[in-house]
Amino acid sequence: MSCNHLKSLVVFLLLSAFLCFSVAGAEETKKIAVFPFHIYSDTDASYLKERLSDDITTELLRQPYVRVAEEEAVTDRIGGRTVTEALALSVGKDLEVDYVIMGSLTRLGNLISTDVQVVDVERESTIRDLYFQGRGLESVGSISRNLVEEVLFRLFAAQRVAEVRFEGNRRIEEGAILNVIQSVKGTLFSQRLLSEDIRSIYGMGFFSDVAASVEDSTEGRVITFTVTERPRIAQILIEGNRKIKENDIRDVISAKTRQMFNPERVNTDAENIELLYKERGYLNVEVAYTAEADAEGQDVYVTFTIVEHRKPSIRTISFEGNMVYTDKDLKKMMKASEWGIFSFLTDAGLYNRTELQADIENLTVFYHNNGFIDAQIGDPEISIDDRWIYVTIPVQEGRQYQVGDVGITGDELDVSRDTLMTGLEIRKKDFFDREAIIRDMEYLTTACNNEGYAYANVIPRTVPSPERQKIDITYHIEKGRIVHIDRISITGNTRTRDKVIRRELAVIEGQLYSRDNLTGSYEGLNRLQYFEEVNFQTEPGADESLMDVNVHVSEKATGLFSVGAGYSTIDKVIFMAEVAERNLFGRGQTISAKGYVGSATTNYEISFIEPWLFDIPLWSKAELWKMERERDTYDVYTKGLAGTLGYRLFERVDGYIRYRLSENIVKNISPYASRFVRDQEGKIMSSGLTITLVRDTRHPWMMPSRGSRNSVAVEFTGGPLQGDASFTRYSGETRWFFPVVSDYVFSVAAQFGLIHGNEGKEVPIYERFYLGGIGSLRGLRDVGPRSPDNLDVIGGKTMMVYTAEFLFPLLRDAGIRGVIFYDTGNSWESGFHFDDMRQTAGAGVRWNSPIGPFRLEWGYVLDRKEGESPSRWEFTIGMMF
């Protein structure tokens, strides 16, 4: 060891010894013995003796200068003798303590008081004027605290903190500093607490340096904290950012102007900016900061300098350790992709750390769902150069397990085991599939729930057999107790009446619990479209066999104002409007008024719907209308009324019967009109009955992604129903929705119609089938047979239309979807002619907007005929109020 090193060591040891001596001298501890107190009470209060001694001992042990003699040693030395000052001196010397605390406690009713003496063993003197009192047993704790505090102040008067001062703080108030320190006026000085106080003040983040000094005074210790305040941030500048907006960068910066400058915080902000850039693919970004103080050193100007560099693209994604699946197979499971020549049009090659992590999870799920139960996908290894990112993903596939024996054990249900087995998805898999197991658990749990076992538990037990390389699966059913619905409470409906909600519920009080019924109730309330949100919550009832159902709804506006516009060669610009209230007075009734105005057509309609006539599920509708339509060679004026009744016949199957009475006038016939038209001039009264069956399984109701709607109808007019017209009409429609992937939906639809006259009467021209428009052949209008006299469109007696649509998300978050469609169909004088079908195709936008359903569609005529427009726009929109 060199001489210099030896000298340094000696100096260090001397300083350490001096500091230890100083601290020991400043904080010389005293040993205290606590004697049992005499108890004087008009009732038995012996338990207070131990309680008071324990509380005093506990308070003493919290103090920095005190050691307490062991209670057992004190008791042994007293030996059952009466405690006196002489005994205290004797025992105190024997125990080598500095002080003895003794005294008495008096209890008179609710009043508790103590007389305390402190015996100074070394000086053989006693402090006697210590008296404390309180009310009730709960005051014993505060008496002990006050007693110890007063004793320590008497014994360690020189160690009491008489004053705390602060120097150097200009902006930070003294009160704020006092809130974080323990050494305050009136407490006992402690070097340990002082060190902690320095750390606490520094931890406030307002100071770059904190020091403390201690001085003695006649009243005790005076502590002075000297602080150096950090400068204040006057301005934060950001330079070099081109790819990310400044506001986005400031969102990740915690430092603000007018705050104290904290280098640690600003450095963390620089790291946050770098992380923001890396999350957006700028992996080579460089972020640095400078802090320049003004001449006085009071304010500092912080500048973050960003060097973005070029965003590298993913050049390759490779895997290590994969044997069964190729790199190509695994890449199909990932959203992250490699750069390609068309990357400027797509997001291919962009690096997103969050997305890549999600890909790792997807790959793990993929392996686990294909029998590789031990597969592990490691963290991707990323290497970067100036232009490219190279991603390598380690894979440990393990062994691939097939599905072995599948069985169900445990409790029996009403549904047979064979029936349950046929519904298990895992039986249809060749290889073990974790997601199939989860879906099977849900399926079996639902089966239990639908029989009233609300708390059923299905436990899958999987037993791998490495020798067979198969996994046997057993689903163990524990159905638990059967549960009935106890109470159904409804909240949140400020306008809609309870009965309107309850009649849509498939669950009732006293009924067996059924998950399917709860699901059906939820869907039924959503179909009403009265509510923004519908929530079902279940909770245990009065006992384990009962369950309460809480239905909470959030109401929305049910008034509707719809406007629409279109165009045709006959009507030119068409305007449509509807005013409706779909929940009249909260009764679930609908009243509406519609108007349709064009250059050749005017139609007005008023309707009223009562979905539960006579408080039974009997749907009813009353209608009044008036319509005027101008054709090329004639006009039709119609007014009438109708009434409809509907009833749920089977699950999801509704039946309707409608009676219609109308007066129809064909007039203003042109001299050039065909003979067919001229023969129908005058007033025609129609009285008819229509029977309709509808089956609707669409879900969701507004913008379906699966299910179908199918309807057939027969209308009979005239005959025993009287009237001038006599005909029979047959019609039907079917529309199916198929989910493709994600939010992509494929839909097909078909419509047909057939009408024929009865009693030798011709079918009125206005009852015939006219196709075209947004509801049939988009891009065309007035499609159908024409008169041989002058080629007037006179409508057909048969009709058929087919439609195919592909719907896809345009702006997923906004709920805006695009549609590509193909329509084909026609109407004829008789028969159905597949070789004579008009064709259109087009595209459009659909949006369930806040102001109502919106449709904008453009149809192009694929087989345009002479005189027809090549394309046509269709537009409708609704507005809520």
Side-chain angles (χ1 to χ4, degrees):
M1 181 179 293
S2 68
C3 183
N4 289 333
H5 287 166
L6 183 60
K7 289 181 180 179
S8 298
L9 180 60
V10 171
V11 171
F12 174 77
L13 292 175
L14 289 174
L15 287 173
S16 299
F18 174 76
L19 289 174
C20 292
F21 176 78
S22 299
V23 172
E27 299 185 12
E28 183 179 354
T29 58
K30 300 295 183 181
K31 188 174 181 181
I32 299 176
V34 180
F35 276 30
F37 276 52
H38 292 293
I39 304 297
Y40 303 102
S41 175
D42 52 358
T43 60
D44 182 19
S46 57
Y47 62 92
L48 287 175
K49 178 185 292 188
E50 184 176 352
R51 165 78 182 276
L52 184 61
S53 296
D54 288 345
D55 284 356
I56 293 173
T57 300
T58 300
E59 291 296 328
L60 287 172
L61 289 173
R62 293 174 178 171
Q63 308 305 319
Y65 305 115
V66 173
R67 290 185 298 118
V68 180
E70 293 184 2
E71 180 183 359
E72 185 177 349
V74 172
T75 304
D76 290 344
R77 298 299 194 283
I78 294 175
R81 291 175 288 176
T82 302
V83 175
T84 62
E85 292 183 23
L87 180 63
L89 281 170
S90 174
V91 172
K93 292 178 179 179
D94 190 22
L95 292 174
E96 297 182 350
V97 300
D98 297 290
Y99 300 99
V100 173
I101 296 176
M102 55 183 286
S104 64
L105 180 146
T106 302
R107 177 183 179 185
L108 296 174
N110 198 37
L111 180 64
I112 296 177
S113 62
T114 57
D115 288 299
V116 182
Q117 297 89 43
V118 178
V119 178
D120 187 331
V121 177
E122 182 179 356
R123 294 184 174 85
E124 297 185 1
S125 61
T126 303
I127 301 172
R128 303 177 185 279
D129 58 338
L130 299 174
Y131 177 80
F132 305 90
Q133 70 175 13
R135 290 188 175 276
L137 296 177
E138 63 274 9
S139 67
V140 173
S142 61
I143 290 174
S144 301
R145 286 190 294 273
N146 294 335
L147 184 156
V148 171
E149 182 179 340
E150 182 63 26
V151 168
L152 293 178
F153 282 160
R154 296 284 188 96
L155 301 181
F156 303 99
Q159 302 296 340
R160 189 185 311 182
V161 176
E163 185 179 0
V164 178
R165 300 171 181 171
F166 299 97
E167 295 180 354
N169 57 309
R170 291 185 295 274
R171 299 190 185 96
I172 307 303
E173 295 181 357
E174 292 184 0
I177 306 176
L178 283 169
N179 285 335
V180 302
I181 64 175
Q182 303 174 70
S183 301
V184 295
K185 184 178 181 179
T187 62
L188 293 179
F189 173 79
S190 166
Q191 188 70 37
R192 177 181 59 83
L193 293 181
L194 185 63
S195 299
E196 292 179 3
D197 289 342
I198 292 174
R199 287 194 293 269
S200 297
I201 296 173
Y202 190 83
M204 296 175 70
F206 300 141
F207 309 104
S208 59
D209 187 41
V210 180
S213 61
V214 182
E215 298 177 356
D216 292 328
S217 71
T218 56
E219 297 179 356
R221 297 294 184 92
V222 177
I223 301 174
T224 302
F225 290 99
T226 304
V227 298
T228 302
E229 288 185 342
R230 298 183 188 274
R232 184 174 55 185
I233 299 176
Q235 188 176 14
I236 298 176
L237 301 175
I238 299 173
E239 296 179 350
N241 60 304
R242 298 182 185 85
K243 302 299 183 180
I244 296 182
K245 295 179 180 178
E246 183 173 318
N247 287 340
D248 293 342
I249 296 174
R250 289 190 180 275
D251 285 342
V252 301
I253 296 175
S254 61
K256 306 297 179 186
T257 56
R258 305 188 67 80
Q259 287 183 350
M260 291 295 184
F261 172 71
N262 187 325
E264 292 82 4
R265 175 178 292 181
V266 176
N267 188 65
T268 300
D269 288 340
E271 294 173 355
N272 290 339
I273 296 172
E274 183 175 331
L275 181 60
L276 173 66
Y277 267 89
K278 288 183 175 180
E279 287 179 347
R280 299 195 183 184
Y282 296 91
L283 301 187
N284 296 321
V285 66
E286 297 177 37
V287 181
Y289 78 88
T290 58
E292 297 182 2
D294 60 9
E296 298 178 356
Q298 299 300 308
D299 290 327
V300 68
Y301 296 84
V302 177
T303 302
F304 291 98
T305 303
I306 303 168
V307 181
E308 294 177 330
H309 293 296
R310 184 176 181 180
K311 179 189 290 188
S313 299
I314 298 176
R315 182 62 170 175
T316 61
I317 299 176
S318 59
F319 299 85
E320 292 181 351
N322 53 310
M323 304 294 292
V324 177
Y325 295 106
T326 65
D327 285 15
K328 184 177 180 181
D329 294 330
L330 298 179
K331 288 176 188 178
K332 292 179 180 178
M333 302 294 111
M334 302 176 63
K335 289 186 177 180
S337 59
E338 298 168 340
W339 181 89
I341 58 174
F342 296 106
S343 291
F344 68 95
L345 296 175
T346 67
D347 290 337
L350 292 183
Y351 174 80
N352 185 306
R353 186 173 61 178
T354 303
E355 185 178 89
L356 187 58
Q357 191 59 46
D359 285 337
I360 299 304
E361 295 176 4
N362 291 337
L363 288 170
T364 304
V365 171
F366 170 74
Y367 268 100
H368 289 174
N369 290 341
N370 285 276
F372 295 91
I373 60 174
D374 300 319
Q376 295 182 3
I377 312 297
D379 292 331
E381 299 172 3
I382 309 296
S383 58
I384 310 168
D385 58 28
D386 292 340
R387 178 69 181 86
W388 301 109
I389 302 171
Y390 304 90
V391 180
T392 303
I393 301 174
V395 177
Q396 294 182 9
E397 290 181 333
R399 302 178 66 181
Q400 188 176 27
Y401 286 80
Q402 293 180 317
V403 175
D405 297 330
V406 180
I408 299 175
T409 62
D411 297 333
E412 298 280 350
L413 298 176
D414 292 341
V415 180
S416 69
R417 286 281 168 84
D418 290 340
T419 302
L420 291 175
M421 287 289 291
T422 58
L424 293 178
E425 186 174 333
I426 195 66
R427 297 183 66 206
K428 305 170 186 176
K429 301 287 185 178
D430 294 327
F431 296 100
F432 183 80
D433 188 333
R434 292 185 186 274
E435 288 189 354
I437 297 291
I438 294 173
R439 289 190 289 269
D440 284 345
M441 292 172 59
E442 183 73 13
Y443 157 71
L444 293 173
T445 303
T446 300
C448 297
N449 294 160
N450 290 339
E451 293 186 12
Y453 301 100
Y455 304 111
N457 191 20
V458 177
I459 305 169
R461 296 172 178 169
T462 57
V463 181
S465 175
E467 300 81 9
R468 297 159 52 218
Q469 211 159 323
K470 291 185 177 182
I471 297 179
D472 299 330
I473 303 112
T474 302
Y475 299 98
H476 184 74
I477 297 176
E478 297 176 355
K479 61 186 183 183
R481 296 190 61 173
I482 200 163
V483 175
H484 289 77
I485 302 297
D486 187 13
R487 294 185 307 164
I488 299 176
S489 60
I490 300 171
T491 58
N493 52 318
T494 58
R495 185 163 177 263
T496 305
R497 303 192 179 196
D498 272 18
K499 74 173 185 178
V500 174
I501 297 175
R502 287 184 180 274
R503 67 195 186 192
E504 296 296 329
L505 301 180
V507 292
I508 58 175
E509 283 94 342
Q511 185 184 56
L512 276 177
Y513 173 87
S514 169
R515 184 191 290 192
D516 283 352
N517 286 348
L518 282 177
T519 302
S521 301
Y522 175 81
E523 293 176 350
L525 289 179
N526 276 306
R527 275 196 297 270
L528 292 176
Q529 295 191 67
Y530 300 163
F531 312 110
E532 290 282 359
E533 186 178 3
V534 177
N535 286 321
F536 276 69
Q537 291 184 342
T538 58
E539 58 184 29
D543 59 55
E544 294 181 357
S545 65
L546 298 175
M547 177 176 286
D548 294 338
V549 178
N550 301 319
V551 183
H552 180 77
V553 298
S554 177
E555 294 192 305
K556 68 178 181 181
T558 51
L560 175 69
F561 174 59
S562 309
V563 294
Y567 179 83
S568 77
T569 55
I570 296 177
D571 286 329
K572 304 302 180 186
V573 179
I574 304 166
F575 295 100
M576 295 159 280
E578 177 183 2
V579 179
E581 171 54 57
R582 295 173 298 164
N583 188 15
L584 187 63
F585 306 124
R587 297 174 178 269
Q589 301 163 333
T590 300
I591 186 169
S592 68
K594 301 177 182 179
Y596 174 105
V597 178
S599 60
T601 304
T602 303
N603 182 38
Y604 303 102
E605 178 184 330
I606 298 175
S607 65
F608 175 79
I609 297 175
E610 169 55 77
W612 278 63
L613 189 63
F614 310 125
D615 280 334
I616 61 174
L618 182 62
W619 186 89
S620 61
K621 180 179 182 180
E623 304 168 76
L624 291 171
W625 72 86
K626 179 180 179 181
M627 183 182 73
E628 301 177 5
R629 184 172 183 85
E630 298 179 6
R631 294 283 186 177
D632 288 342
T633 56
Y634 66 94
D635 298 340
V636 178
Y637 291 74
T638 300
K639 59 183 178 180
L641 56 86
T644 306
L645 296 176
Y647 193 78
R648 173 61 55 91
L649 301 176
F650 309 102
E651 184 179 2
R652 298 185 179 274
V653 177
D654 297 318
Y656 299 91
I657 182 168
R658 180 176 187 258
Y659 174 75
R660 180 185 67 159
L661 177 65
S662 64
E663 177 186 87
N664 311 279
I665 303 174
V666 178
K667 61 180 184 178
N668 297 336
I669 296 177
S670 168
Y672 305 104
S674 65
R675 186 174 187 84
F676 179 80
V677 174
R678 292 198 300 270
D679 290 344
Q680 299 196 52
E681 184 176 14
K683 180 189 299 184
I684 301 175
M685 295 294 296
S686 295
S687 176
L689 201 65
T690 302
I691 298 175
T692 305
L693 288 177
V694 178
R695 184 176 186 271
D696 193 346
T697 61
R698 293 173 297 171
H699 182 82
W701 188 81
M702 278 299 293
M703 287 190 172
S705 60
R706 65 179 184 271
S708 65
R709 186 183 189 278
N710 306 279
S711 66
V712 292
V714 178
E715 178 184 358
F716 182 80
T717 298
L721 298 176
Q722 301 301 309
D724 302 317
S726 182
F727 60 86
T728 303
R729 186 200 315 266
Y730 306 92
S731 60
E733 181 178 2
T734 181
R735 186 174 296 273
W736 295 78
F737 299 89
F738 305 95
V740 183
V741 290
S742 187
D743 295 333
Y744 295 83
V745 178
F746 179 67
S747 172
V748 292
Q751 303 175 58
F752 80 91
L754 168 65
I755 188 171
H756 62 77
N758 298 328
E759 302 178 89
K761 297 181 179 180
E762 183 58 70
V763 176
I765 191 170
Y766 48 81
E767 296 288 0
R768 289 171 165 252
F769 297 113
Y770 297 84
L771 298 183
I774 202 165
S776 56
L777 295 175
R778 286 159 284 190
L780 286 169
R781 286 294 171 90
D782 291 335
V783 175
R786 296 178 178 272
S787 169
D789 298 345
N790 58 3
L791 298 181
D792 282 347
V793 178
I794 60 174
K797 291 184 179 179
T798 59
M799 171 273 292
M800 185 164 52
V801 176
Y802 295 96
T803 295
E805 294 183 338
F806 181 70
L807 297 104
F808 54 92
L810 284 178
L811 296 174
R812 185 176 277 104
D813 293 340
I816 298 177
R817 302 199 297 178
V819 60
I820 300 173
F821 64 83
Y822 169 78
D823 297 335
T824 181
N826 209 338
S827 63
W828 304 275
E829 185 63 28
S830 63
F832 297 92
H833 305 280
F834 290 95
D835 58 347
D836 182 24
M837 303 277 280
R838 301 301 308 275
Q839 300 180 70
T840 66
V845 176
R846 295 180 185 176
W847 178 32
N848 188 23
S849 73
I851 60 173
F854 170 91
R855 289 180 66 178
L856 176 63
E857 296 173 12
W858 172 79
Y860 179 77
V861 182
L862 299 176
D863 55 353
R864 184 163 63 98
K865 296 182 179 181
E866 185 178 353
E868 289 182 339
S869 173
S871 62
R872 195 183 309 277
W873 284 96
E874 307 284 352
F875 168 76
T876 60
I877 189 172
M879 181 171 64
M880 303 296 293
F881 67 92

